[in-house]
Amino acid sequence: MHLLVITPYGILLFAVAVIVLYIVAISTLFKNKAGILPYLALILFPVFGPLGIVFGDYMKKIK
C-alpha cells in the first residue's frame, strides 16, 4: 500500500494539472477583461487563486 509515496509520476501529474489550471484561469481573466487584483491572486496564491477564478466564473455562469 503506497498511498503516501511521492513518485515522479505524481509530481508530473500535479505539475501538469496546475499548468492547465493556470491556462484556464488566465484565459478566463482575458475573456472577462479583469483588472489587476485577480492577476495578483494568481501570483500570491499559486493553487487557490486559479481555483477561485475558475470556480467563480463557473458559479457566475450558473446563476
Side-chain angles (χ1 to χ4, degrees):
M1 211 166 156
H2 300 284
L3 293 177
L4 298 177
V5 176
I6 299 173
T7 62
Y9 295 113
I11 294 170
L12 286 174
L13 181 66
F14 181 75
V16 169
V18 169
I19 289 169
V20 168
L21 193 60
Y22 263 87
I23 291 170
V24 171
I26 290 172
S27 67
T28 301
L29 290 177
F30 278 140
K31 184 182 70 172
N32 292 340
K33 297 182 178 85
I36 191 71
L37 288 178
Y39 292 104
L40 286 175
L42 285 177
I43 295 169
L44 295 176
F45 306 106
V47 175
F48 294 117
L51 279 175
I53 291 168
V54 171
F55 286 135
D57 187 54
Y58 177 72
M59 296 302 282
K60 188 169 58 172
K61 286 182 182 179
I62 289 177
K63 289 183 179 184

Short mmCIF file of all heavy atoms in Angstrom, two decimals:
data_model
loop_
_atom_site.label_atom_id
_atom_site.label_comp_id
_atom_site.label_asym_id
_atom_site.label_seq_id
_atom_site.Cartn_x
_atom_site.Cartn_y
_atom_site.Cartn_z
N MET A 1 0.85 -1.17 0.00
CA MET A 1 0.00 0.00 0.00
C MET A 1 0.90 1.24 0.00
O MET A 1 1.48 1.61 1.00
CB MET A 1 -0.87 -0.02 1.24
CG MET A 1 -2.17 0.63 1.03
SD MET A 1 -3.25 0.19 2.38
CE MET A 1 -4.32 1.55 2.26
N HIS A 2 0.98 1.89 -1.14
CA HIS A 2 1.88 3.02 -1.30
C HIS A 2 1.11 4.32 -1.51
O HIS A 2 1.34 5.03 -2.48
CB HIS A 2 2.81 2.78 -2.48
CG HIS A 2 3.64 1.56 -2.32
ND1 HIS A 2 4.74 1.52 -1.50
CD2 HIS A 2 3.54 0.32 -2.86
CE1 HIS A 2 5.28 0.33 -1.55
NE2 HIS A 2 4.57 -0.43 -2.37
N LEU A 3 0.21 4.62 -0.62
CA LEU A 3 -0.60 5.82 -0.79
C LEU A 3 0.18 7.10 -0.48
O LEU A 3 -0.10 8.13 -1.06
CB LEU A 3 -1.83 5.75 0.11
CG LEU A 3 -2.86 4.68 -0.24
CD1 LEU A 3 -3.97 4.69 0.78
CD2 LEU A 3 -3.42 4.91 -1.63
N LEU A 4 1.13 7.03 0.42
CA LEU A 4 1.84 8.23 0.83
C LEU A 4 3.19 8.40 0.16
O LEU A 4 3.96 9.28 0.52
CB LEU A 4 2.02 8.22 2.35
CG LEU A 4 0.71 8.24 3.15
CD1 LEU A 4 1.00 8.15 4.63
CD2 LEU A 4 -0.09 9.48 2.83
N VAL A 5 3.48 7.57 -0.81
CA VAL A 5 4.75 7.65 -1.52
C VAL A 5 4.64 8.68 -2.64
O VAL A 5 3.70 8.66 -3.43
CB VAL A 5 5.15 6.27 -2.09
CG1 VAL A 5 6.41 6.37 -2.91
CG2 VAL A 5 5.30 5.27 -0.97
N ILE A 6 5.58 9.60 -2.69
CA ILE A 6 5.60 10.62 -3.75
C ILE A 6 6.49 10.10 -4.86
O ILE A 6 7.69 9.94 -4.68
CB ILE A 6 6.12 11.96 -3.21
CG1 ILE A 6 5.21 12.47 -2.11
CG2 ILE A 6 6.22 12.97 -4.34
CD1 ILE A 6 5.73 13.70 -1.40
N THR A 7 5.88 9.85 -6.01
CA THR A 7 6.62 9.33 -7.15
C THR A 7 6.81 10.44 -8.18
O THR A 7 6.10 11.46 -8.14
CB THR A 7 5.86 8.18 -7.81
OG1 THR A 7 4.60 8.66 -8.29
CG2 THR A 7 5.61 7.05 -6.81
N PRO A 8 7.74 10.26 -9.09
CA PRO A 8 7.91 11.26 -10.16
C PRO A 8 6.65 11.44 -11.01
O PRO A 8 6.36 12.54 -11.46
CB PRO A 8 9.06 10.71 -10.99
CG PRO A 8 9.81 9.83 -10.07
CD PRO A 8 8.80 9.26 -9.13
N TYR A 9 5.90 10.37 -11.19
CA TYR A 9 4.66 10.48 -11.96
C TYR A 9 3.62 11.34 -11.24
O TYR A 9 2.89 12.09 -11.86
CB TYR A 9 4.09 9.09 -12.25
CG TYR A 9 4.98 8.28 -13.15
CD1 TYR A 9 5.62 7.15 -12.67
CD2 TYR A 9 5.21 8.66 -14.47
CE1 TYR A 9 6.46 6.41 -13.48
CE2 TYR A 9 6.05 7.93 -15.28
CZ TYR A 9 6.66 6.81 -14.79
OH TYR A 9 7.49 6.08 -15.60
N GLY A 10 3.58 11.21 -9.93
CA GLY A 10 2.67 12.05 -9.15
C GLY A 10 3.04 13.51 -9.22
O GLY A 10 2.18 14.39 -9.33
N ILE A 11 4.34 13.78 -9.17
CA ILE A 11 4.81 15.17 -9.27
C ILE A 11 4.50 15.74 -10.65
O ILE A 11 4.02 16.87 -10.77
CB ILE A 11 6.32 15.24 -8.97
CG1 ILE A 11 6.58 14.87 -7.51
CG2 ILE A 11 6.87 16.62 -9.27
CD1 ILE A 11 8.03 14.68 -7.18
N LEU A 12 4.74 14.95 -11.70
CA LEU A 12 4.43 15.41 -13.05
C LEU A 12 2.94 15.63 -13.25
O LEU A 12 2.52 16.60 -13.89
CB LEU A 12 4.95 14.41 -14.09
CG LEU A 12 6.45 14.41 -14.31
CD1 LEU A 12 6.84 13.28 -15.23
CD2 LEU A 12 6.90 15.74 -14.87
N LEU A 13 2.12 14.72 -12.71
CA LEU A 13 0.67 14.87 -12.83
C LEU A 13 0.19 16.14 -12.13
O LEU A 13 -0.62 16.89 -12.69
CB LEU A 13 -0.03 13.65 -12.24
CG LEU A 13 -1.53 13.63 -12.32
CD1 LEU A 13 -1.98 13.55 -13.78
CD2 LEU A 13 -2.09 12.47 -11.53
N PHE A 14 0.72 16.41 -10.94
CA PHE A 14 0.34 17.62 -10.22
C PHE A 14 0.80 18.86 -10.96
O PHE A 14 0.04 19.84 -11.06
CB PHE A 14 0.94 17.59 -8.81
CG PHE A 14 0.58 18.79 -7.98
CD1 PHE A 14 -0.68 18.91 -7.44
CD2 PHE A 14 1.51 19.79 -7.77
CE1 PHE A 14 -1.02 20.02 -6.68
CE2 PHE A 14 1.19 20.91 -7.02
CZ PHE A 14 -0.08 21.02 -6.47
N ALA A 15 2.01 18.84 -11.51
CA ALA A 15 2.53 20.00 -12.24
C ALA A 15 1.71 20.27 -13.49
O ALA A 15 1.37 21.43 -13.78
CB ALA A 15 3.99 19.77 -12.61
N VAL A 16 1.34 19.23 -14.21
CA VAL A 16 0.52 19.41 -15.42
C VAL A 16 -0.86 19.93 -15.04
O VAL A 16 -1.42 20.80 -15.72
CB VAL A 16 0.43 18.10 -16.21
CG1 VAL A 16 -0.62 18.17 -17.30
CG2 VAL A 16 1.79 17.76 -16.81
N ALA A 17 -1.43 19.43 -13.95
CA ALA A 17 -2.75 19.91 -13.51
C ALA A 17 -2.70 21.39 -13.14
O ALA A 17 -3.61 22.15 -13.49
CB ALA A 17 -3.23 19.08 -12.33
N VAL A 18 -1.65 21.82 -12.46
CA VAL A 18 -1.53 23.23 -12.08
C VAL A 18 -1.31 24.10 -13.31
O VAL A 18 -1.88 25.19 -13.42
CB VAL A 18 -0.40 23.41 -11.05
CG1 VAL A 18 -0.08 24.88 -10.84
CG2 VAL A 18 -0.79 22.77 -9.73
N ILE A 19 -0.53 23.63 -14.27
CA ILE A 19 -0.30 24.40 -15.51
C ILE A 19 -1.60 24.56 -16.28
O ILE A 19 -1.92 25.66 -16.76
CB ILE A 19 0.79 23.72 -16.36
CG1 ILE A 19 2.15 23.89 -15.69
CG2 ILE A 19 0.82 24.29 -17.77
CD1 ILE A 19 3.24 23.04 -16.30
N VAL A 20 -2.38 23.49 -16.40
CA VAL A 20 -3.67 23.58 -17.08
C VAL A 20 -4.61 24.52 -16.34
O VAL A 20 -5.33 25.32 -16.95
CB VAL A 20 -4.29 22.18 -17.24
CG1 VAL A 20 -5.73 22.25 -17.69
CG2 VAL A 20 -3.47 21.35 -18.22
N LEU A 21 -4.58 24.46 -15.02
CA LEU A 21 -5.42 25.35 -14.21
C LEU A 21 -5.04 26.81 -14.43
O LEU A 21 -5.92 27.67 -14.56
CB LEU A 21 -5.28 24.97 -12.74
CG LEU A 21 -6.26 25.55 -11.75
CD1 LEU A 21 -7.68 25.14 -12.12
CD2 LEU A 21 -5.93 25.06 -10.37
N TYR A 22 -3.75 27.11 -14.50
CA TYR A 22 -3.29 28.47 -14.77
C TYR A 22 -3.73 28.92 -16.17
O TYR A 22 -4.16 30.06 -16.35
CB TYR A 22 -1.77 28.56 -14.66
CG TYR A 22 -1.31 29.06 -13.32
CD1 TYR A 22 -1.11 28.18 -12.27
CD2 TYR A 22 -1.07 30.40 -13.11
CE1 TYR A 22 -0.69 28.62 -11.05
CE2 TYR A 22 -0.64 30.86 -11.89
CZ TYR A 22 -0.45 29.97 -10.86
OH TYR A 22 -0.04 30.42 -9.64
N ILE A 23 -3.63 28.05 -17.17
CA ILE A 23 -4.03 28.41 -18.53
C ILE A 23 -5.51 28.75 -18.57
O ILE A 23 -5.92 29.75 -19.18
CB ILE A 23 -3.66 27.28 -19.51
CG1 ILE A 23 -2.15 27.19 -19.66
CG2 ILE A 23 -4.33 27.49 -20.86
CD1 ILE A 23 -1.68 25.97 -20.42
N VAL A 24 -6.32 27.93 -17.93
CA VAL A 24 -7.77 28.18 -17.91
C VAL A 24 -8.09 29.47 -17.16
O VAL A 24 -8.91 30.28 -17.61
CB VAL A 24 -8.52 26.99 -17.28
CG1 VAL A 24 -9.98 27.31 -17.04
CG2 VAL A 24 -8.38 25.76 -18.17
N ALA A 25 -7.42 29.71 -16.03
CA ALA A 25 -7.67 30.92 -15.25
C ALA A 25 -7.26 32.17 -16.01
O ALA A 25 -7.99 33.17 -16.04
CB ALA A 25 -6.94 30.85 -13.91
N ILE A 26 -6.11 32.15 -16.66
CA ILE A 26 -5.65 33.32 -17.41
C ILE A 26 -6.53 33.59 -18.61
O ILE A 26 -6.87 34.74 -18.91
CB ILE A 26 -4.17 33.16 -17.80
CG1 ILE A 26 -3.30 33.27 -16.54
CG2 ILE A 26 -3.74 34.20 -18.82
CD1 ILE A 26 -1.85 32.94 -16.76
N SER A 27 -6.97 32.52 -19.29
CA SER A 27 -7.88 32.74 -20.42
C SER A 27 -9.22 33.29 -19.95
O SER A 27 -9.83 34.12 -20.63
CB SER A 27 -8.07 31.44 -21.21
OG SER A 27 -8.77 30.50 -20.44
N THR A 28 -9.68 32.86 -18.79
CA THR A 28 -10.92 33.40 -18.22
C THR A 28 -10.76 34.88 -17.89
O THR A 28 -11.66 35.68 -18.15
CB THR A 28 -11.31 32.62 -16.96
OG1 THR A 28 -11.48 31.25 -17.29
CG2 THR A 28 -12.59 33.15 -16.36
N LEU A 29 -9.61 35.25 -17.31
CA LEU A 29 -9.38 36.65 -16.97
C LEU A 29 -9.30 37.52 -18.22
O LEU A 29 -9.80 38.64 -18.23
CB LEU A 29 -8.10 36.79 -16.14
CG LEU A 29 -8.17 36.22 -14.72
CD1 LEU A 29 -6.82 36.35 -14.05
CD2 LEU A 29 -9.24 36.91 -13.92
N PHE A 30 -8.64 37.02 -19.27
CA PHE A 30 -8.58 37.80 -20.51
C PHE A 30 -9.96 37.94 -21.14
O PHE A 30 -10.31 38.99 -21.67
CB PHE A 30 -7.63 37.15 -21.52
CG PHE A 30 -6.19 37.47 -21.27
CD1 PHE A 30 -5.22 36.49 -21.42
CD2 PHE A 30 -5.79 38.73 -20.89
CE1 PHE A 30 -3.89 36.77 -21.21
CE2 PHE A 30 -4.46 39.03 -20.66
CZ PHE A 30 -3.51 38.05 -20.83
N LYS A 31 -10.75 36.87 -21.07
CA LYS A 31 -12.09 36.90 -21.65
C LYS A 31 -12.98 37.91 -20.92
O LYS A 31 -13.77 38.62 -21.55
CB LYS A 31 -12.72 35.50 -21.60
CG LYS A 31 -14.07 35.42 -22.27
CD LYS A 31 -14.63 34.01 -22.14
CE LYS A 31 -14.98 33.79 -20.70
NZ LYS A 31 -15.70 32.57 -20.43
N ASN A 32 -12.84 37.97 -19.61
CA ASN A 32 -13.68 38.87 -18.81
C ASN A 32 -13.10 40.27 -18.67
O ASN A 32 -13.70 41.12 -18.02
CB ASN A 32 -13.89 38.28 -17.41
CG ASN A 32 -14.74 37.04 -17.46
OD1 ASN A 32 -15.47 36.81 -18.42
ND2 ASN A 32 -14.64 36.23 -16.45
N LYS A 33 -11.91 40.51 -19.25
CA LYS A 33 -11.23 41.80 -19.15
C LYS A 33 -11.11 42.25 -17.69
O LYS A 33 -11.53 43.34 -17.31
CB LYS A 33 -11.95 42.85 -19.99
CG LYS A 33 -11.97 42.54 -21.46
CD LYS A 33 -12.65 43.65 -22.24
CE LYS A 33 -12.62 43.35 -23.71
NZ LYS A 33 -13.69 42.51 -24.17
N ALA A 34 -10.51 41.39 -16.88
CA ALA A 34 -10.39 41.62 -15.44
C ALA A 34 -9.31 42.66 -15.15
O ALA A 34 -8.44 42.93 -15.97
CB ALA A 34 -10.06 40.32 -14.73
N GLY A 35 -9.38 43.21 -13.95
CA GLY A 35 -8.39 44.19 -13.50
C GLY A 35 -7.13 43.50 -13.00
O GLY A 35 -6.85 42.34 -13.30
N ILE A 36 -6.37 44.21 -12.18
CA ILE A 36 -5.08 43.71 -11.71
C ILE A 36 -5.20 42.77 -10.52
O ILE A 36 -4.35 41.90 -10.32
CB ILE A 36 -4.14 44.90 -11.39
CG1 ILE A 36 -2.70 44.43 -11.16
CG2 ILE A 36 -4.62 45.66 -10.17
CD1 ILE A 36 -2.02 43.97 -12.39
N LEU A 37 -6.24 42.88 -9.70
CA LEU A 37 -6.35 42.09 -8.48
C LEU A 37 -6.42 40.58 -8.73
O LEU A 37 -5.76 39.82 -8.01
CB LEU A 37 -7.55 42.55 -7.65
CG LEU A 37 -7.37 43.90 -6.97
CD1 LEU A 37 -8.62 44.30 -6.23
CD2 LEU A 37 -6.19 43.87 -6.03
N PRO A 38 -7.18 40.10 -9.71
CA PRO A 38 -7.15 38.65 -9.95
C PRO A 38 -5.78 38.13 -10.38
O PRO A 38 -5.40 37.02 -10.04
CB PRO A 38 -8.18 38.44 -11.06
CG PRO A 38 -9.09 39.61 -10.96
CD PRO A 38 -8.23 40.74 -10.51
N TYR A 39 -5.04 38.94 -11.12
CA TYR A 39 -3.69 38.53 -11.52
C TYR A 39 -2.77 38.46 -10.31
O TYR A 39 -1.91 37.59 -10.22
CB TYR A 39 -3.13 39.46 -12.58
CG TYR A 39 -3.85 39.36 -13.89
CD1 TYR A 39 -4.76 40.33 -14.29
CD2 TYR A 39 -3.64 38.28 -14.73
CE1 TYR A 39 -5.43 40.23 -15.49
CE2 TYR A 39 -4.31 38.16 -15.93
CZ TYR A 39 -5.20 39.15 -16.31
OH TYR A 39 -5.87 39.03 -17.50
N LEU A 40 -2.96 39.37 -9.35
CA LEU A 40 -2.19 39.30 -8.11
C LEU A 40 -2.55 38.06 -7.31
O LEU A 40 -1.69 37.46 -6.66
CB LEU A 40 -2.43 40.55 -7.27
CG LEU A 40 -1.74 41.82 -7.76
CD1 LEU A 40 -2.16 43.00 -6.90
CD2 LEU A 40 -0.25 41.65 -7.75
N ALA A 41 -3.83 37.67 -7.36
CA ALA A 41 -4.24 36.43 -6.68
C ALA A 41 -3.55 35.22 -7.30
O ALA A 41 -3.20 34.27 -6.59
CB ALA A 41 -5.75 36.28 -6.75
N LEU A 42 -3.34 35.25 -8.61
CA LEU A 42 -2.62 34.15 -9.26
C LEU A 42 -1.18 34.05 -8.76
O LEU A 42 -0.65 32.96 -8.59
CB LEU A 42 -2.61 34.34 -10.78
CG LEU A 42 -3.89 34.06 -11.53
CD1 LEU A 42 -3.69 34.38 -13.00
CD2 LEU A 42 -4.29 32.62 -11.35
N ILE A 43 -0.56 35.19 -8.54
CA ILE A 43 0.83 35.19 -8.10
C ILE A 43 0.95 34.85 -6.62
O ILE A 43 1.81 34.06 -6.22
CB ILE A 43 1.48 36.56 -8.39
CG1 ILE A 43 1.53 36.80 -9.90
CG2 ILE A 43 2.86 36.66 -7.78
CD1 ILE A 43 1.89 38.21 -10.29
N LEU A 44 0.08 35.41 -5.79
CA LEU A 44 0.20 35.23 -4.35
C LEU A 44 -0.29 33.87 -3.87
O LEU A 44 0.22 33.34 -2.88
CB LEU A 44 -0.56 36.34 -3.62
CG LEU A 44 0.00 37.75 -3.82
CD1 LEU A 44 -0.90 38.76 -3.13
CD2 LEU A 44 1.41 37.84 -3.29
N PHE A 45 -1.30 33.31 -4.53
CA PHE A 45 -1.88 32.03 -4.11
C PHE A 45 -1.81 31.07 -5.30
O PHE A 45 -2.74 30.99 -6.10
CB PHE A 45 -3.33 32.22 -3.66
CG PHE A 45 -3.49 33.25 -2.59
CD1 PHE A 45 -4.02 34.50 -2.88
CD2 PHE A 45 -3.08 32.99 -1.30
CE1 PHE A 45 -4.17 35.46 -1.90
CE2 PHE A 45 -3.22 33.95 -0.31
CZ PHE A 45 -3.76 35.18 -0.61
N PRO A 46 -0.73 30.31 -5.42
CA PRO A 46 -0.46 29.55 -6.64
C PRO A 46 -1.50 28.50 -7.00
O PRO A 46 -1.70 28.23 -8.17
CB PRO A 46 0.87 28.88 -6.37
CG PRO A 46 1.39 29.43 -5.12
CD PRO A 46 0.33 30.21 -4.45
N VAL A 47 -2.16 27.88 -6.04
CA VAL A 47 -3.16 26.85 -6.38
C VAL A 47 -4.57 27.37 -6.13
O VAL A 47 -5.46 27.18 -6.96
CB VAL A 47 -2.91 25.56 -5.57
CG1 VAL A 47 -4.00 24.54 -5.83
CG2 VAL A 47 -1.55 24.98 -5.93
N PHE A 48 -4.79 28.06 -5.02
CA PHE A 48 -6.13 28.51 -4.68
C PHE A 48 -6.58 29.71 -5.51
O PHE A 48 -7.77 29.90 -5.72
CB PHE A 48 -6.23 28.85 -3.18
CG PHE A 48 -6.05 27.65 -2.31
CD1 PHE A 48 -4.99 27.55 -1.43
CD2 PHE A 48 -6.94 26.60 -2.38
CE1 PHE A 48 -4.82 26.45 -0.64
CE2 PHE A 48 -6.79 25.49 -1.58
CZ PHE A 48 -5.72 25.40 -0.71
N GLY A 49 -5.65 30.51 -6.00
CA GLY A 49 -6.01 31.64 -6.85
C GLY A 49 -6.67 31.20 -8.15
O GLY A 49 -7.78 31.64 -8.46
N PRO A 50 -6.04 30.32 -8.93
CA PRO A 50 -6.69 29.85 -10.15
C PRO A 50 -7.98 29.08 -9.89
O PRO A 50 -8.94 29.20 -10.65
CB PRO A 50 -5.65 28.94 -10.80
CG PRO A 50 -4.36 29.33 -10.22
CD PRO A 50 -4.65 29.87 -8.86
N LEU A 51 -8.01 28.30 -8.80
CA LEU A 51 -9.24 27.58 -8.48
C LEU A 51 -10.38 28.55 -8.20
O LEU A 51 -11.51 28.35 -8.65
CB LEU A 51 -9.03 26.68 -7.26
CG LEU A 51 -8.36 25.35 -7.51
CD1 LEU A 51 -8.11 24.64 -6.18
CD2 LEU A 51 -9.20 24.49 -8.40
N GLY A 52 -10.10 29.62 -7.44
CA GLY A 52 -11.13 30.61 -7.16
C GLY A 52 -11.61 31.32 -8.41
O GLY A 52 -12.81 31.59 -8.56
N ILE A 53 -10.70 31.61 -9.32
CA ILE A 53 -11.08 32.30 -10.57
C ILE A 53 -11.95 31.40 -11.42
O ILE A 53 -13.00 31.80 -11.93
CB ILE A 53 -9.82 32.76 -11.32
CG1 ILE A 53 -9.14 33.87 -10.55
CG2 ILE A 53 -10.16 33.20 -12.73
CD1 ILE A 53 -7.76 34.20 -11.05
N VAL A 54 -11.54 30.14 -11.58
CA VAL A 54 -12.29 29.21 -12.43
C VAL A 54 -13.65 28.90 -11.82
O VAL A 54 -14.67 28.94 -12.52
CB VAL A 54 -11.47 27.92 -12.66
CG1 VAL A 54 -12.31 26.86 -13.36
CG2 VAL A 54 -10.24 28.23 -13.47
N PHE A 55 -13.70 28.59 -10.52
CA PHE A 55 -14.98 28.27 -9.89
C PHE A 55 -15.87 29.50 -9.78
O PHE A 55 -17.09 29.38 -9.87
CB PHE A 55 -14.78 27.63 -8.53
CG PHE A 55 -14.32 26.21 -8.60
CD1 PHE A 55 -13.30 25.75 -7.79
CD2 PHE A 55 -14.89 25.31 -9.49
CE1 PHE A 55 -12.86 24.44 -7.86
CE2 PHE A 55 -14.47 24.01 -9.57
CZ PHE A 55 -13.46 23.57 -8.75
N GLY A 56 -15.29 30.66 -9.57
CA GLY A 56 -16.09 31.89 -9.54
C GLY A 56 -16.74 32.18 -10.86
O GLY A 56 -17.91 32.57 -10.93
N ASP A 57 -16.01 31.98 -11.95
CA ASP A 57 -16.59 32.16 -13.28
C ASP A 57 -17.67 31.12 -13.55
O ASP A 57 -18.70 31.42 -14.14
CB ASP A 57 -15.50 32.07 -14.34
CG ASP A 57 -16.01 32.43 -15.71
OD1 ASP A 57 -16.60 33.52 -15.86
OD2 ASP A 57 -15.82 31.62 -16.65
N TYR A 58 -17.44 29.88 -13.10
CA TYR A 58 -18.42 28.83 -13.29
C TYR A 58 -19.70 29.13 -12.51
O TYR A 58 -20.81 28.94 -13.03
CB TYR A 58 -17.83 27.49 -12.83
CG TYR A 58 -18.78 26.34 -12.92
CD1 TYR A 58 -19.16 25.81 -14.15
CD2 TYR A 58 -19.31 25.77 -11.77
CE1 TYR A 58 -20.04 24.77 -14.24
CE2 TYR A 58 -20.20 24.71 -11.84
CZ TYR A 58 -20.55 24.21 -13.08
OH TYR A 58 -21.44 23.17 -13.15
N MET A 59 -19.56 29.60 -11.28
CA MET A 59 -20.75 29.92 -10.47
C MET A 59 -21.50 31.11 -11.05
O MET A 59 -22.72 31.18 -10.94
CB MET A 59 -20.35 30.18 -9.02
CG MET A 59 -19.75 28.98 -8.32
SD MET A 59 -20.85 27.57 -8.31
CE MET A 59 -21.95 28.04 -7.02
N LYS A 60 -20.76 32.04 -11.67
CA LYS A 60 -21.41 33.20 -12.29
C LYS A 60 -22.23 32.75 -13.50
O LYS A 60 -23.29 33.29 -13.77
CB LYS A 60 -20.36 34.21 -12.69
CG LYS A 60 -20.93 35.52 -13.16
CD LYS A 60 -19.85 36.60 -13.31
CE LYS A 60 -18.79 36.17 -14.28
NZ LYS A 60 -17.83 37.23 -14.61
N LYS A 61 -21.74 31.73 -14.22
CA LYS A 61 -22.46 31.24 -15.39
C LYS A 61 -23.72 30.47 -15.00
O LYS A 61 -24.69 30.46 -15.76
CB LYS A 61 -21.56 30.33 -16.22
CG LYS A 61 -20.51 31.08 -16.98
CD LYS A 61 -19.67 30.13 -17.81
CE LYS A 61 -18.60 30.90 -18.54
NZ LYS A 61 -17.74 30.00 -19.34
N ILE A 62 -23.70 29.82 -13.84
CA ILE A 62 -24.85 29.04 -13.40
C ILE A 62 -26.03 29.95 -13.07
O ILE A 62 -27.16 29.65 -13.40
CB ILE A 62 -24.48 28.16 -12.20
CG1 ILE A 62 -23.56 27.04 -12.64
CG2 ILE A 62 -25.70 27.57 -11.54
CD1 ILE A 62 -23.08 26.16 -11.51
N LYS A 63 -25.76 31.07 -12.42
CA LYS A 63 -26.84 31.96 -11.97
C LYS A 63 -27.49 32.68 -13.09
O LYS A 63 -27.27 32.91 -14.12
CB LYS A 63 -26.31 32.97 -10.96
CG LYS A 63 -26.00 32.31 -9.66
CD LYS A 63 -25.55 33.34 -8.65
CE LYS A 63 -25.27 32.67 -7.33
NZ LYS A 63 -24.91 33.58 -6.30
#
